[in-house]
Amino acid sequence: MTAPFGCRAATIVARETHGAYVVLRAHDPTGPVPRAGQFYMLRTAERWGGGDGERPFLPRAFSVLRTRGRELHFLIEDVGPGTKRLCELEPGEELLLVGPLGNGFTGPRDGREPLLVGGGVGIAPLAIWQDELGAGIQVLLGFRDRAHAAGAALLSAPVVATDDGSVGHHGLVTNLLKERLGDHVEVYACGPPAMLEAVRAACVESAVPAQLALESGMACGYGACFGCVVPTVDGYVRLCLDGPVLHADRLTSALAFAGAGH
Ligand SMILES: Cc1cc2nc3c(=O)[nH]c(=O)nc-3n(C[C@H](O)[C@H](O)[C@H](O)COP(=O)(O)OP(=O)(O)OC[C@H]3O[C@@H](n4cnc5c(N)ncnc54)[C@H](O)[C@@H]3O)c2cc1C
Ligand code: FES
């Protein structure tokens, strides 16, 4: 089939289950190579929307988890109609994608050591960033329970915290972060708004630079709809164009990014 405006088709080559998450591996023979922290707008070629008036209508935004040659990997948690349909994809079926989009992570300043902090599906952009940075990078990951903590296997040698104490440290990943902050590190974080706000506040208090990969409701992904605008100290910006990675000192809160569905 001909992909609609700006889209191209990528064939699913594998679907893996990691506890509460699905990893889709898609062959994208012609697309540009993504940078860590960039994202794609995804939908399925078939059965996107169950019928007249049934959601999902719009594509959904997903960080790239990692690349392997011409394969793009995406980490997906089934939380609604779009993610449910994507999680059903079988090898041989087609994904329609637009991307890579947005601005990703940039390297640490002043020779600082990268310190990666993720929660839930927010581990996705950290995996490709860890791949790029190389071995020996400190990674702290937080999950709600054992089923979600299975996602930690997608990164190398992470320190894990769970809300219920079923795996690793019992408590918040941000407590592990606070013990490690210092003027030798730069923090890279992605996760739910409350976690990102705790990371932002701790880094500001300790004068540690931090890059936050944020989310807001995105309809187009390339600047056309203004659905993703978020407040910064410089005024409102479109997160799909200016972000999704923003430096923490551009924000007064990461809680403003708690978005709504679409
Ligand atoms: C840049 C970016 C990267 C993302 N990367 C990933 C990823 O790697 N893996 C992954 O599983 N998800 C990721 N997401 C979130 C994903 O896009 C949403 O979960 C998805 O759109 C939900 O679609 P749905 O139809 O399944 O559920 P919906 O019914 O649309 O939403 C389910 C619930 O999630 C809330 N929600 C939906 N989208 C957002 C949002 N953007 N911010 C806050 N709350 C939201 C809704 O209010 C609702 O409560 C990313 C989002 C953005 C903007
Ligand atoms: S998602 Fe449409 S302008 Fe950002």
Side-chain angles (χ1 to χ4, degrees), residues 41 217-229 238-241:
M41 298 302 288
M218 291 188 183
C220 71
Y222 46 78
C225 73
F226 286 73
C228 63
V229 291
R238 284 168 287 180
L239 193 66
C240 67
L241 290 184

Side-chain angles (χ1 to χ4, degrees), residues 42-57:
L42 302 183
R43 66 186 188 88
T44 58
E46 306 291 338
R47 293 193 296 110
W48 187 256
D52 282 349
E54 286 185 32
R55 298 173 71 221
F57 303 114

Side-chain angles (χ1 to χ4, degrees), residues 39 55-56 60-63 75-77 79-84 121 124 214-218 244 257-262:
F39 69 99
R55 298 173 71 221
R60 301 310 199 223
F62 294 90
S63 305
L75 177 75
I76 301 176
E77 182 173 14
V79 295
T83 48
K84 178 177 171 52
V121 289
L214 297 147
E215 287 187 16
S216 70
M218 291 188 183
F257 292 73
H262 40 278

